[in-house]
């Protein structure tokens, strides 16, 4: 049975955007017969988005590796021997040239990522210059730099930043099992600083680290109950990395469980763009298609993400063309 409060979501645009989700409601939605869940997700999706369009974003690691945080899933943590070579912050000219290539290749948003716990003020000045320059190319800008103070968030907003990516990554219960150098509350504090500075929020998480379905749903409840829904919700499948602790617990989600989760995210956060992020190289075309039907409407394009692989451009264009989905890619 669907709890009464949830029923309204099937009616699309008339459904309120809620931030009072209970875990049991999320579980009830997720557990609906598949056809009913997909119908609700499609109804919500069509009421809020063009169902035949997908957003394309491109990623660049502007500072790779050597990170002091101990995130158990990440190739860039200095706590583990992952064989990754640490680099310094890239030069602005190289970043701009890469952004132009990404735009020419069909990306509408350019996301610059740095392996920092939080940026030093002098590094932030340089990132702000990159943001302004990429914006001047006519692209949407996103950065992900770790924790920010309110002042740093304001500085990024003044540079014209559109989105800040800062993931909650998993449930409150599972968080401490994969990260010990910061708390979930640290993450939530930064999200608040970003919001207050007037920057749009990109916030999601990772599946397949050994968490249970309940953890994934608790993560969706956490996201949907933030003071406002993130404008972008990236759903990453854990991209395998040698030498990190998550190898001991990792288990890739059953494909149908992934589709169910995407559909549940779509219904709970009706106006948020849901991005099928890392891990698409593990997915068949059919699975990605089901995720699009469930409400996923954004992708990372390009052969690499930060340090791991992404599907090749030809595979993505072929899939979107066969589905009749428009994007800046094809
Ligand atoms: N250091 C910053 C931070 O953690 O917020 C920004 C960069 S960090 C690489 C951005 C996000 O990438 C993480 O929050 C996590 O969700 C995701 N991520 C990292 N390693 C991953 C992996 N192996 N597979 C999937 N997602 C991953
Ligand atoms: C997000 O949620 N996924 C992107 C972006 N935000 C920064 C990062 C995916 C990283 C995958 C692992 C890697 O390539 O190192
Ligand atoms: Fe550092 Fe971000 Fe990787 Fe964590 S996820 S180790 S904070 S780069």
């Amino acid at each position: 049975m669907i709890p009464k409060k949830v029923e309204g979501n099937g009616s699309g645009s008339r459904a309120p955007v809620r931030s009072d989700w209970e875990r049991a409601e999320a579980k009830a939605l997720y557990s609906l017969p598949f056809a009913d869940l997909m119908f609700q997700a499609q109804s919500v999706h069509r009421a809020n988005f063009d169902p035949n369009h997908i957003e394309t974003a491109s990623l660049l690691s502007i500072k790779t590796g050597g990170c002091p945080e101990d995130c158990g899933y990440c190739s860039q943590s200095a706590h583990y021997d992952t064989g990754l070579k640490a680099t310094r912050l890239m030069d602005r000219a190289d970043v701009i040239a890469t952004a132009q290539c990404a735009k020419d290749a069909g990306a509408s948003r350019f996301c610059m990522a740095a392996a920092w716990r939080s940026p030093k003020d002098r590094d932030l000045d340089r990132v702000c210059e990159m943001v302004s320059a990429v914006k001047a190319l006519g692209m949407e800008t996103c950065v992900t730099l770790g924790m920010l103070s309110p002042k740093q968030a304001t500085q990024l907003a003044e540079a014209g930043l559109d989105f800040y990516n800062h993931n909650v990554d998993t449930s409150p219960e599972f968080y401490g099992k994969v990260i010990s150098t910061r708390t979930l509350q640290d993450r939530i504090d930064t999200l608040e600083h970003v919001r207050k500075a007037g920057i749009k929020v990109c916030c999601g998480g990772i599946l397949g680290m050994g968490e249970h379905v309940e953890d994934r749903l608790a993560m969706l409840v956490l996201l949907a109950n933030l003071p406002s829904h993130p404008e972008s919700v990236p759903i990453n499948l854990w991209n395998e990395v040698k030498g990190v602790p998550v190898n001991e617990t990792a288990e890739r989600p059953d494909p149908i469980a992934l589709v169910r989760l995407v559909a549940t995210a779509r219904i709970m956060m009706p106006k948020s763009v849901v991005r099928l992020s890392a891990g698409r190289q593990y997915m068949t075309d059919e699975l990605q298609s089901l995720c699009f039907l469930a409400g996923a409407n954004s992708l990372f394009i390009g052969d690499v993400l930060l340090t791991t692989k992404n599907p090749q451009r030809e595979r993505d264009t072929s899939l979107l063309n066969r589905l009749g989905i428009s994007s800046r890619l094809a």
Side-chain angles (χ1 to χ4, degrees):
M1 272 299 274
I2 319 166
K4 204 163 184 301
K5 272 194 326 198
V6 177
E7 270 175 351
N9 279 306
S11 61
S13 60
R14 282 176 291 122
V17 172
R18 291 178 45 196
S19 12
D20 59 351
W21 288 91
E22 286 166 19
R23 289 186 180 193
E25 291 177 89
K27 184 74 190 281
L29 269 177
Y30 177 89
S31 311
L32 280 170
F34 191 70
D36 294 346
L37 174 61
M38 291 297 271
F39 181 69
Q40 276 209 41
Q42 265 284 301
S43 305
V44 172
H45 192 51
R46 285 173 172 268
N48 292 289
F49 293 98
D50 173 354
N52 301 309
H53 182 77
I54 268 177
E55 172 194 271
T56 44
S58 184
L59 268 176
L60 176 66
S61 182
I62 57 171
K63 195 273 166 202
T64 305
C67 183
E69 300 274 37
D70 70 351
C71 311
Y73 44 80
C74 184
S75 62
Q76 305 198 65
S77 167
H79 293 254
Y80 318 117
D81 182 9
T82 65
L84 190 74
K85 194 174 164 291
T87 67
R88 294 155 68 97
L89 181 60
M90 282 176 71
D91 284 334
R92 182 174 58 162
D94 295 334
V95 173
I96 298 165
T98 311
Q100 182 64 57
C101 288
K103 185 182 177 192
D104 296 343
S108 56
R109 186 176 309 166
F110 194 64
C111 178
M112 294 160 269
W116 289 324
R117 173 173 164 81
S118 53
K120 295 193 176 72
D121 287 345
R122 67 170 182 279
D123 288 333
L124 193 69
D125 292 342
R126 291 180 59 197
V127 173
C128 284
E129 290 173 4
M130 294 174 193
V131 166
S132 305
V134 172
K135 218 173 151 64
L137 299 178
M139 301 184 84
E140 286 184 320
T141 52
C142 177
V143 296
T144 178
L145 315 171
M147 292 183 272
L148 296 180
S149 67
K151 189 166 156 268
Q152 290 178 319
T154 303
Q155 193 182 335
L156 283 164
E158 284 167 1
L161 182 70
D162 297 301
F163 290 84
Y164 195 79
N165 167 248
H166 202 61
N167 291 339
V168 295
D169 279 314
T170 190
S171 68
E173 291 81 357
F174 199 72
Y175 202 84
K177 295 190 177 144
V178 279
I179 304 157
S180 77
T181 49
R182 61 167 187 267
T183 63
L184 179 57
Q185 189 57 47
D186 290 328
R187 280 315 235 200
I188 291 168
D189 291 347
T190 290
L191 290 171
E192 197 179 313
H193 304 329
V194 167
R195 214 18 121 197
K196 280 201 178 131
I199 300 168
K200 286 178 267 198
V201 168
C202 172
C203 183
I206 311 179
L207 316 179
M209 301 189 288
E211 76 288 342
H212 296 120
V213 166
E214 283 69 23
D215 292 300
R216 297 173 195 158
L217 291 168
M219 177 179 87
L220 293 189
V221 169
L222 174 65
L223 293 169
N225 288 352
L226 288 170
S228 33
H229 292 177
E231 281 81 2
S232 271
V233 178
I235 306 280
N236 298 277
L237 287 193
W238 181 60
N239 255 359
E240 197 181 325
V241 174
K242 298 271 183 282
V244 297
V246 159
N247 278 290
E248 308 302 317
T249 54
E251 193 177 348
R252 203 159 295 144
D254 159 59
I256 302 298
L258 171 64
V259 180
R260 283 184 175 278
L261 199 82
V262 170
T264 308
R266 166 51 61 233
I267 296 165
M268 291 173 67
M269 291 171 278
K271 295 186 186 299
S272 305
V273 168
V274 176
R275 182 172 312 111
L276 212 48
S277 300
R280 280 197 304 117
Q281 80 279 16
Y282 303 129
M283 300 179 201
T284 62
D285 286 356
E286 294 87 335
L287 174 56
Q288 292 188 59
S289 305
L290 278 174
C291 289
F292 300 148
L293 281 175
N297 55 353
S298 178
L299 298 177
F300 282 125
I301 59 166
D303 299 349
V304 283
L305 293 167
L306 298 175
T307 67
T308 61
K309 284 187 188 149
N310 199 41
Q312 302 270 316
R313 176 189 176 84
E314 293 69 30
R315 190 179 159 204
D316 284 344
T317 35
S318 161
L319 175 60
L320 297 184
N321 284 338
R322 280 179 289 149
L323 297 174
I325 291 180
S326 67
S327 72
R328 287 206 64 241
L329 186 63

